[in-house]
Amino acid sequence: MFRLTVNLWTRLPAIRNHRVAAYSKHTAAVQDKVKPASDTEDIWIKRRPLPKTTSIEYTIPEDPYLLAQKFTQVVANGKPDDAVAIVMQSKTRSQSTAVWNLVIREYAKNGRLSRALRAHTEMRKRGFEATNTTYTELLKACALSDSDKSTAMAENLYKQLTNKLEPTIINFNTLLTVYLRKHDLTTLLDRFNNLPANGSMAPELATFTIVFSAFRREIFRKLQELKQVGVEEKDSESQVFGKKRRLALIATNIRSVYEAMLDLWKVFVNDAERRLQCPDTKALELDAHMVKIILKTCLAIYHKNRALGRKGLQVIETAYGMDETLDTDQPGRSKVPLAARLCSQDSAHSSVLDNEVIELAFALCARDNQPIKALRFWSSLERHFAAELEPLKQQHKQALDEFRSKASKWVTKNKVSFT
């Protein structure tokens, strides 16, 4: 399942492929889903007719730009069926690919896959060729649809895209979102593993975020399963033995997925560092959203396994730094953290840090009884993210006072200095 052995992953020798191979074998054994067939007859989804009549009378624009504006306005007024009917009533010369993309997008955002596919059919009947944007919207429809054939349909659409056009990383990210929402971690990772390391199809922030989200979903799903099994009644000795064995299997699976998630973080860090020196590939970015996905998972794992959960502290240190000294007048003692280096070329990077990131970092430090690390983390924020931190300072004053008090007691007890 999770083969970190090709393309992108060859840049990280530290990854332990034997662990990943074991994870793949285990998850393949417990996989209870059957991969959808690729035969187009098996993935046929009925294309429901589009509305052709409106609830009230509208003027029909005869210009594609005005028709697009009209469609957007009517949708904003809460009448999407009327908006589609206006397009259906308009003359072909008044339409455009952009107009039909709007129609498909409207259905896609609500997961109405059959209507989105019908709109695609109507678009082609009128001689308008699908664009990358068209396929992105169709894939979004697959992701949000509750049809059991939506994953296979998404794969078929992506195959059409690759045969007709040059896929973009946005197209690919949308396909990954399908697997994410359908809980198909196996196929998601297979697809991700085949991405090139360089060029326009190299993974971007959104790509990594989707994969991290998939790991988090799988871990939280398994933690919930662990909780449910743990409260089952013990009716007999055989059931007790069976329950213990099942709990052990679930715990092993959680550990494997979590360690793979941490390996992915190492890959992200190494790839980000490499791209800073590689002009032919777009530099990676780091935002608070992705970090929060990782830290929330670390905190959830901590309740079950302290040794694993506390590895989140390493993520915090790599992303935002932990000053070697709490003396902010000694900049030479501080290493510039990854987040600061990745956003140094863009002055508008407020999304790299927010209040929740700080709360999660403090929660992990508190959980692991690490007040000094909490203070060093804060010191690094003051040094490297002063503008982003300024409006958040007051909200964390109480937590900082508690950390300082605990740190002082620890220093007094152990007769050492942490500055």
Side-chain angles (χ1 to χ4, degrees):
M1 179 176 173
F2 185 45
R3 310 181 315 274
L4 300 185
T5 58
V6 295
N7 295 333
L8 173 66
W9 310 105
T10 58
R11 298 199 307 275
L12 187 62
I15 288 225
R16 292 177 284 173
N17 290 319
H18 65 277
R19 176 213 293 168
V20 176
Y23 167 58
S24 304
K25 183 177 180 181
H26 174 74
T27 50
V30 300
Q31 187 77 12
D32 57 358
K33 291 191 295 182
V34 178
K35 189 175 178 63
S38 59
D39 192 318
T40 53
E41 292 183 359
D42 293 334
I43 61 173
W44 173 256
I45 297 177
K46 183 178 180 181
R47 275 71 164 165
R48 296 183 60 189
L50 302 184
K52 296 182 179 179
T53 58
T54 59
S55 59
I56 59 175
E57 186 175 351
Y58 295 91
T59 57
I60 310 297
E62 296 186 358
D63 176 80
Y65 176 77
L66 295 178
L67 182 60
Q69 279 192 327
K70 187 77 171 184
F71 179 89
T72 304
Q73 179 184 359
V74 176
V75 167
N77 290 335
K79 296 185 177 181
D81 286 345
D82 279 7
V84 176
I86 290 173
V87 175
M88 292 292 288
Q89 292 176 15
S90 65
K91 297 177 181 179
T92 301
R93 66 172 180 267
S94 303
Q95 301 170 7
S96 67
T97 298
V99 169
W100 281 106
N101 283 346
L102 288 175
V103 175
I104 296 173
R105 179 178 300 168
E106 181 59 30
Y107 287 128
K109 71 181 185 182
N110 296 309
R112 301 176 70 179
L113 179 56
S114 63
R115 286 286 181 90
L117 292 171
R118 183 55 182 260
H120 181 221
T121 300
E122 295 289 344
M123 172 184 180
R124 288 183 298 159
K125 280 170 57 177
R126 289 160 173 75
F128 299 105
E129 293 295 327
T131 63
N132 290 86
T133 301
T134 309
Y135 283 104
T136 296
E137 299 304 331
L138 289 170
L139 290 169
K140 285 180 182 177
C142 292
L144 296 173
S145 171
D146 57 4
S147 170
D148 57 0
K149 298 179 180 180
S150 57
T151 301
M153 178 57 72
E155 292 176 336
N156 183 264
L157 288 167
Y158 194 78
K159 184 177 180 180
Q160 290 181 27
L161 168 62
T162 56
N163 290 336
K164 295 180 180 179
L165 301 166
E166 186 76 23
T168 67
I169 192 63
I170 295 175
N171 296 139
F172 185 84
N173 290 343
T174 314
L175 177 63
L176 288 188
T177 303
V178 176
Y179 300 129
L180 168 66
R181 296 187 67 89
K182 306 304 177 182
H183 304 285
D184 190 353
L185 183 58
T186 302
T187 310
L188 184 148
L189 292 175
D190 283 342
R191 290 278 190 176
F192 181 63
N193 280 335
N194 290 322
L195 281 175
N198 300 300
S200 62
M201 287 299 290
E204 60 181 10
L205 171 65
T207 317
F208 278 101
T209 301
I210 291 168
V211 183
F212 277 120
S213 296
F215 278 136
R216 178 177 180 266
R217 282 195 177 199
E218 180 68 11
I219 289 170
F220 274 70
R221 187 175 69 86
K222 287 297 181 181
L223 286 173
Q224 184 61 31
E225 184 180 351
L226 196 66
K227 182 179 179 180
Q228 291 174 351
V229 174
V231 298
E232 288 178 357
E233 302 225 348
K234 305 176 182 179
D235 294 331
S236 67
E237 288 298 323
S238 61
Q239 286 185 344
V240 171
F241 175 77
K243 188 176 97 170
K244 288 183 178 179
R245 184 178 181 184
R246 187 179 173 191
L247 286 170
L249 287 173
I250 297 172
T252 299
N253 187 251
I254 291 173
R255 183 187 184 100
S256 298
V257 180
Y258 181 70
E259 289 180 337
M261 182 180 189
L262 293 178
D263 282 343
L264 180 63
W265 170 250
K266 295 177 185 176
V267 170
F268 175 84
V269 171
N270 279 267
D271 199 32
E273 298 275 8
R274 181 190 66 88
R275 293 197 203 184
L276 289 174
Q277 310 299 325
C278 182
D280 63 333
T281 302
K282 182 181 178 182
L284 272 175
E285 299 173 334
L286 179 64
D287 69 355
H289 176 60
M290 192 178 82
V291 176
K292 286 185 286 190
I293 291 172
I294 301 171
L295 294 185
K296 286 178 181 179
T297 308
C298 293
L299 277 168
I301 288 289
Y302 197 104
H303 294 287
K304 301 295 181 182
N305 190 315
R306 176 179 180 269
L308 289 177
R310 71 195 308 268
K311 290 184 179 181
L313 294 171
Q314 298 173 10
V315 175
I316 296 170
E317 184 170 6
T318 302
Y320 299 105
M322 288 185 182
D323 280 1
E324 296 178 10
T325 172
L326 300 184
D327 185 356
T328 56
D329 293 329
Q330 299 183 39
R333 298 281 300 279
S334 175
K335 180 181 177 181
V336 179
L338 180 66
R341 280 179 284 133
L342 293 183
C343 63
S344 60
Q345 297 177 349
D346 182 4
S347 58
H349 55 264
S350 57
S351 63
V352 77
L353 179 71
D354 63 19
N355 190 56
E356 191 175 3
V357 167
I358 299 174
E359 289 177 348
L360 289 169
F362 279 176
L364 195 54
C365 289
R367 181 76 181 176
D368 201 51
N369 194 26
Q370 296 281 356
I372 294 178
K373 285 192 174 182
L375 295 176
R376 287 176 170 165
F377 162 67
W378 183 262
S379 177
S380 181
L381 294 185
E382 289 183 316
R383 190 187 306 277
H384 303 289
F385 306 93
E388 294 79 9
L389 189 63
E390 188 60 36
L392 307 175
K393 281 186 175 182
Q394 194 61 33
Q395 301 176 51
H396 301 285
K397 184 178 184 302
Q398 182 178 349
L400 285 168
D401 289 342
E402 293 176 0
F403 282 130
R404 290 189 181 103
S405 175
K406 291 180 180 179
S408 296
K409 291 178 182 178
W410 185 89
V411 168
T412 302
K413 179 179 178 181
N414 293 274
K415 300 180 180 180
V416 297
S417 171
F418 58 87
T419 60

